[in-house]
Amino acid sequence: MKPSQKRERKHKRQDASSAENAGGEVKEEASLPQSPEPISASEANNPSPSRRSRGRGKKRRLNNQSEDNSQRTSSPERRARHHHSDQKNGDCSNGMVVSTTTDSIPSAPSWETVVKVVPSMDAVVKVFCVHTEPNFSLPWQRKRQYSSGSSGFIIGGRRVLTNAHSVEHHTQVKLKKRGSDTKYLATVLAIGTECDIALLTVTDDEFWEGVSPVEFGDLPALQDAVTVVGYPIGGDTISVTSGVVSRMEILSYVHGSTELLGLQIDAAINSGNSGGPAFNDKGKCVGIAFQSLKHEDAENIGYVIPTPVIVHFIQDYERHDKYTGFPVLGIEWQKMENPDLRKSMGMESHQKGVRIRRIEPTAPESQVLKPSDIILSFDGVNIANDGTVPFRHGERIGFSYLISQKYTGDSALVKVLRNKEILEFNIKLAIHKRLIPAHISGKPPSYFIVAGFVFTTVSVPYLRSEYGKEYEFDAPVKLLEKHLHAMAQSVDEQLVVVSQVLVSDINIGYEEIVNTQVVAFNGKPVKNLKGLAEMVEKCEDEYMKFNLDYNQIVVLSTKTAKEATLDILTTHCIPSAMSDDLKAEERN
């Protein structure tokens, strides 16, 4: 890869919940009970194709219903009635016409009866959010604001749950209840990026009148029926889609770049469904819709955040009065399925476990665990050679599920095999420190400018902004290697790069340097952006020398470079040579 590789910015707003909607929601109007049309005598004897279709009980696709409220919707009960009526009255071999009587047509159920069947639907709200995303290409300003719509639902304690990506980089959030024409201003209490859940509240007492909070149910079993309720694109009213639980395993959460327990369902989840609840057949919430799989070989594959993850998020907030995250063990491990490998590591025939490949230097367990240790059990639960643990009857799941049930600061008993000796360690769990973080937690990106060189730190949102959704294929190989495999050696280590060069006479010949890591400054290694800014500000040498990746060097006259910086800032209307967070650190 050439060091002068041009970036391809793809300024596309992303919705981690789903791709483009293909339609298919059942509108609220379609769920209203309709009185069946009377059948005339002539139709009974010579039914039209549509009548015959209903008489045979032909299935109709819900997603093909017309949005015209005047179009009648044939319910399963009504189809059964017509089928029965055709059999009873249509057998007229002698040509006699038998007319139907109005006494055989039941009256339509009242609206109050329908509401009582699905009372939890009234707790589902529509979320309106105005986002103002950071501009990673021009970190001293933000992008143009835009609006989005998603779903949420009311829980106990005058709170509302929705997806984190639904309110990410929010400047204003409003909620609207079902059947209401009023939008209420909401406050974001907590955002859980890893689990893609956000907690909101509304100060207006009127919002909470006449609404019962959603109750949570147990983790569903495979093939259990689920109903996803929300406000997807394609209409303004509430939408209901149904399906079953088809899979339950550790899933990759797109927004959080983490792996947590998730449910796969075959109900359609479209853009706007994000944050809506998934109910079981008893009306209890068993999850939150948050993403779907859009692939040419797959249809109607949606994913739901299950109740264990939701409860963990809520209790984490209640314990610490803020969201602290899901702890991790901070290791990379290898399966021990090969018998020769197990024998060489000193494992007996009855022993099972996984081998530690690497340990995060910043993780607390790095003080006690060592590479090539065999983890036999976690908190008393034995780990199989493939890294799974018993989950429920007939099911197994990755042992990271056990870790994700813990809270930041909790301790866990880890049993390992080291040199044929069994050891036990009580390890305090903590959150994961990544060299390239998955999120910037709503903060504006840090930057530092000197002589037109824009220095910043690399994060996943930065890579996505520079190279689009396919950044894992389009970004420079060196950055990807660090993103996928590099480990931070200290808690304050950052990956600092030259984002771009603002052209000026002082930097002639350096204009094509883009997204290249800064390795050292005047012979001293660059640990983070703050350290680089301090070294540049305090530099009194005649020249400033930046050592970059790919063995490139940048040499500038110290005096001329600092003098040119002010003119460059003025030319590009940049208010400051460094971000506010670096200024605050300098003052401290």
Side-chain angles (χ1 to χ4, degrees):
M1 174 133 345
K2 296 181 180 180
S4 60
Q5 175 181 4
K6 302 290 185 180
R7 68 185 126 191
E8 298 177 2
R9 298 192 183 94
K10 302 179 182 179
H11 300 293
K12 295 183 181 179
R13 304 181 184 111
Q14 297 180 23
D15 183 351
S17 65
S18 64
E20 292 184 1
N21 175 35
E25 70 271 11
V26 182
K27 294 184 177 300
E28 181 180 10
E29 290 84 348
S31 65
L32 291 175
Q34 301 286 347
S35 299
E37 297 176 277
I39 304 174
S40 66
S42 62
E43 287 177 325
N45 206 26
N46 298 297
S48 65
S50 61
R51 290 288 183 195
R52 289 196 300 270
S53 175
R54 288 200 294 269
R56 291 195 299 270
K58 182 180 178 181
K59 295 182 180 179
R60 293 183 66 185
R61 291 174 58 90
L62 293 177
N63 61 344
N64 288 334
Q65 295 184 51
S66 170
E67 293 187 10
D68 186 356
N69 294 336
S70 64
Q71 178 176 339
R72 302 292 183 179
T73 303
S74 179
S75 65
E77 293 82 0
R78 183 179 173 189
R79 288 197 297 270
R81 287 201 303 272
H82 285 303
H83 184 66
H84 177 72
S85 176
D86 289 346
Q87 286 181 336
K88 179 178 180 181
N89 301 327
D91 188 9
C92 307
S93 58
N94 58 358
M96 185 180 356
V97 177
V98 181
S99 63
T100 60
T101 62
T102 55
D103 294 339
S104 64
I105 302 175
S107 60
S110 64
W111 175 249
E112 289 76 10
T113 304
V114 177
V115 172
K116 289 180 181 179
V117 176
V118 281
S120 298
M121 288 177 62
D122 286 339
V124 182
V125 299
K126 188 168 185 177
V127 181
F128 300 87
C129 184
V130 178
H131 310 257
T132 309
E133 295 182 349
N135 190 334
F136 291 94
S137 299
L138 307 173
W140 48 88
Q141 64 186 34
R142 287 183 174 265
K143 293 182 180 179
R144 184 184 182 91
Q145 69 180 23
Y146 68 95
S147 301
S148 71
S150 57
S151 308
F153 59 97
I154 297 171
I155 63 172
R158 294 166 64 99
R159 297 172 297 187
V160 175
L161 283 180
T162 186
N163 280 145
H165 71 259
S166 299
V167 294
E168 188 179 31
H169 305 303
H170 65 277
T171 51
Q172 185 184 75
V173 181
K174 291 183 288 187
L175 306 179
K176 187 173 75 171
K177 296 192 295 182
R178 180 189 182 198
S180 173
D181 60 351
T182 306
K183 296 177 182 177
Y184 300 87
L185 284 173
T187 303
V188 178
L189 299 176
I191 295 180
T193 53
E194 292 94 340
C195 58
D196 200 4
I197 305 176
L199 190 66
L200 318 176
T201 189
V202 175
T203 56
D204 194 333
D205 294 335
E206 181 182 332
F207 176 81
W208 307 102
E209 294 177 358
V211 180
S212 299
V214 167
E215 296 182 3
F216 290 104
D218 296 330
L219 193 66
L222 295 180
Q223 294 187 336
D224 277 2
V226 290
T227 301
V228 178
V229 183
Y231 294 87
I233 59 175
D236 294 326
T237 54
I238 203 163
S239 166
V240 180
T241 56
S242 299
V244 298
V245 177
S246 53
R247 183 177 294 169
M248 189 180 310
E249 62 182 356
I250 300 298
L251 294 177
S252 175
Y253 281 41
V254 174
H255 179 71
S257 298
T258 52
E259 293 186 346
L260 296 170
L261 182 66
L263 303 180
Q264 178 182 314
I265 63 175
D266 62 358
I269 296 179
N270 298 307
S271 180
N273 268 126
S274 298
F279 295 112
N280 60 15
D281 54 3
K282 297 180 181 179
K284 300 290 184 69
C285 176
V286 294
I288 304 175
F290 76 116
Q291 65 189 36
S292 62
L293 177 63
K294 300 297 182 182
H295 193 274
E296 59 183 5
D297 295 331
E299 292 183 1
N300 287 350
I301 295 181
Y303 297 100
V304 172
I305 304 170
T307 46
V309 179
I310 301 172
V311 171
H312 186 286
F313 169 80
I314 295 173
Q315 292 185 354
D316 182 22
Y317 175 78
E318 292 174 347
R319 283 187 180 189
H320 305 97
D321 201 27
K322 63 178 182 179
Y323 172 75
T324 62
F326 287 75
V328 295
L329 197 54
I331 64 169
E332 292 181 357
W333 53 271
Q334 175 186 359
K335 295 180 180 181
M336 296 293 293
E337 296 177 308
N338 184 275
D340 292 335
L341 177 61
R342 292 197 301 271
K343 187 175 180 180
S344 67
M345 298 298 296
M347 296 177 66
E348 297 182 8
S349 58
H350 66 278
Q351 292 178 326
K352 297 180 179 180
V354 294
R355 172 183 172 270
I356 297 177
R357 294 195 294 118
R358 294 198 301 170
I359 304 175
E360 294 276 0
T362 59
E365 48 270 23
S366 64
Q367 305 299 319
V368 291
L369 298 181
K370 295 182 179 180
S372 290
D373 281 353
I374 308 298
I375 301 181
L376 303 176
S377 68
F378 181 89
D379 258 359
V381 180
N382 292 331
I383 301 173
N385 291 325
D386 62 353
T388 62
V389 294
F391 183 50
R392 297 189 301 191
H393 179 69
E395 298 178 72
R396 300 188 67 84
I397 198 168
F399 82 96
S400 62
Y401 170 73
L402 301 177
I403 306 170
S404 67
Q405 294 303 293
K406 295 284 189 176
Y407 294 87
T408 303
D410 286 358
S411 295
L413 184 65
V414 179
K415 182 187 293 186
V416 302
L417 178 68
R418 181 186 298 169
N419 298 327
K420 298 183 180 181
E421 181 183 0
I422 296 178
L423 304 174
E424 292 186 348
F425 300 103
N426 202 26
I427 296 175
K428 187 176 181 180
L429 302 174
I431 58 174
H432 186 49
K433 162 62 183 176
R434 294 182 176 179
L435 179 61
I436 297 182
H439 289 270
I440 59 174
S441 303
K443 301 175 183 177
S446 301
Y447 72 91
F448 173 66
I449 302 174
V450 61
F453 285 81
V454 181
F455 300 96
T456 188
T457 58
V458 178
S459 62
V460 172
Y462 176 85
L463 294 175
R464 189 178 293 119
S465 173
E466 292 291 294
Y467 301 100
K469 291 186 291 186
E470 302 295 329
Y471 67 90
E472 291 188 341
F473 300 96
D474 299 332
V477 173
K478 293 246 181 179
L479 293 184
L480 288 178
E481 191 277 332
K482 291 179 172 61
H483 165 54
L484 297 174
H485 304 292
M487 293 181 173
Q489 300 300 309
S490 62
V491 293
D492 59 347
E493 184 178 359
Q494 295 175 319
L495 187 64
V496 181
V497 296
V498 178
S499 172
Q500 63 176 310
V501 179
L502 305 175
V503 176
S504 176
D505 294 345
I506 186 68
N507 52 48
I508 290 177
Y510 300 134
E511 303 93 334
E512 295 184 350
I513 297 177
V514 172
N515 290 334
T516 306
Q517 183 183 359
V518 183
V519 179
F521 174 78
N522 282 357
K524 297 180 180 178
V526 174
K527 186 177 181 181
N528 50 46
L529 187 58
K530 176 188 174 184
L532 175 63
E534 289 179 349
M535 288 190 290
V536 172
E537 290 289 306
K538 296 177 181 179
C539 179
E540 297 180 353
D541 296 345
E542 181 179 0
Y543 293 101
M544 293 189 297
K545 181 180 179 181
F546 299 88
N547 292 86
L548 309 181
D549 219 342
Y550 304 102
N551 293 321
Q552 295 183 91
I553 61 171
V554 172
V555 179
L556 299 169
S557 168
T558 303
K559 182 180 179 180
T560 309
K562 292 183 177 181
E563 290 175 350
T565 300
L566 184 58
D567 292 336
I568 294 174
L569 296 179
T570 304
T571 301
H572 293 272
C573 301
I574 303 174
S576 175
M578 63 178 67
S579 53
D580 291 338
D581 59 326
L582 297 182
K583 292 180 185 177
E585 291 175 353
E586 275 194 345
R587 288 194 296 267
N588 295 336

